[in-house]
Amino acid sequence: MSTQLLLDKVTKDFGDGDTTVQVLKHVSLEVKAGEFVAVVGPSGAGKSTFLSIAGALLSPTSGRIVIGNQDISTLSDKQLNRIRLQRIGFIFQSANLIPYLTVRDQLLLIAELAGSRNKEAENRADELLLRLGLAHRTDHYPESLSGGERQRVAIARAWMNNPEIILADEPTASLDSERGRDVVEMLADEVKLRQKAAVMVTHDLRMLDLCDRVVYMEDGMLSERPAEVLHPIH
């Protein structure tokens, strides 16, 4: 399997001079096509910073990020924006839907931003909504959706441009356990079916059996350990 995402000795410092805090300390992670990796660890461990750097939302202080065969560590802001739009799908803790756009238009906005809104994009939006059980909600606005439906729209939006990499930050945090599991199963299925590379930051240890690997983050450092040795994290 080819490597889709590589973080190589990544560090991230915040502040300057005497007040510098090193949030990530020489973090390395390789995620292959078709692999679903969970990142767990206590609050404040650096998980969200790690995910932001993996998704080209933040630049590392040192180290490399490689997507596919492309080192993105030295790209311009404009180039990084294109990478985020075309190659990475983000799913956040809150669905972050735009209140004045219908469910279908949430997806089509992604195609429009990427300069690819056409009949093919419209067909893809309809196909994704059907696949995620949202066909009956196509013309509804976010305020009329349940929490689970909003999160499924967010998933469909993340998949809209057929990204190579899916990054999910606490995607089940606002859902009950049954709906949360549905969401993670959808992610796991997409990873296997379409050979994506996916990383999910989560506190919900009940979801780890759906992942291929679990990595543990503490004090800005990553280590791999079997899921069964992890204790519930509050």
Side-chain angles (χ1 to χ4, degrees):
M1 288 187 296
S2 61
T3 298
Q4 293 285 65
L5 175 65
L6 174 68
L7 282 83
D8 180 28
K9 298 185 179 68
V10 167
T11 67
K12 183 62 180 177
D13 300 341
F14 288 105
D16 55 74
D18 296 337
T19 58
T20 297
V21 176
Q22 191 167 56
V23 178
L24 296 182
K25 303 168 184 174
H26 303 285
V27 167
S28 295
L29 181 69
E30 182 179 358
V31 188
K32 296 184 180 299
E35 193 173 29
F36 188 15
V37 177
V39 180
V40 301
S43 296
K47 301 187 302 296
S48 292
T49 301
F50 161 80
L51 210 62
S52 294
I53 286 177
L57 293 168
L58 272 180
S59 296
T61 302
S62 65
R64 293 188 309 140
I65 302 100
V66 181
I67 292 178
N69 295 316
Q70 184 175 17
D71 186 339
I72 68 166
S73 313
T74 57
L75 297 184
S76 68
D77 287 346
K78 187 175 180 181
Q79 290 169 318
L80 287 174
N81 192 43
R82 181 62 50 186
I83 292 282
R84 288 192 295 268
L85 266 174
Q86 294 182 340
R87 304 180 71 176
I88 303 170
F90 294 95
I91 303 163
F92 297 103
Q93 181 171 333
S94 113
N96 290 332
L97 302 180
I98 298 170
Y100 54 83
L101 290 182
T102 65
V103 165
R104 188 171 188 259
D105 284 340
Q106 307 277 342
L107 274 60
L108 291 175
L109 176 63
I110 301 300
E112 198 163 303
L113 290 171
S116 60
R117 180 163 178 167
N118 50 32
K119 188 66 182 170
E120 187 180 335
E122 291 178 7
N123 290 341
R124 177 161 175 77
D126 292 338
E127 173 199 321
L128 282 170
L129 293 175
L130 181 65
R131 199 164 119 215
L132 294 178
L134 293 163
H136 63 301
R137 293 298 210 182
T138 296
D139 297 321
H140 287 68
Y141 291 91
E143 64 180 9
S144 67
L145 305 178
S146 69
E149 286 171 334
R150 281 196 288 270
Q151 197 60 305
R152 277 183 281 153
V153 175
I155 289 173
R157 183 179 61 186
W159 294 348
M160 184 63 195
N161 284 343
N162 198 23
E164 299 154 48
I165 295 162
I166 298 167
L167 301 176
D169 191 3
E170 302 280 6
T172 66
S174 59
L175 305 175
D176 63 44
S177 59
E178 185 182 346
R179 287 186 174 83
R181 191 161 184 91
D182 286 346
V183 160
V184 179
E185 283 177 346
M186 287 173 190
L187 283 171
D189 289 346
E190 176 76 359
V191 168
K192 295 293 177 265
L193 185 65
R194 316 276 177 182
Q195 288 296 290
K196 309 292 188 194
V199 178
M200 175 179 69
V201 165
T202 185
H203 278 95
D204 194 341
L205 303 189
R206 295 167 299 180
M207 305 299 165
L208 298 185
D209 62 299
L210 294 167
C211 301
D212 299 305
R213 275 197 294 148
V214 178
V215 296
Y216 187 77
M217 179 164 272
E218 190 166 24
D219 295 329
M221 294 182 284
L222 269 190
S223 59
E224 296 211 27
R225 57 184 73 182
E228 58 268 19
V229 305
L230 294 167
H231 301 293
I233 298 156
H234 301 292

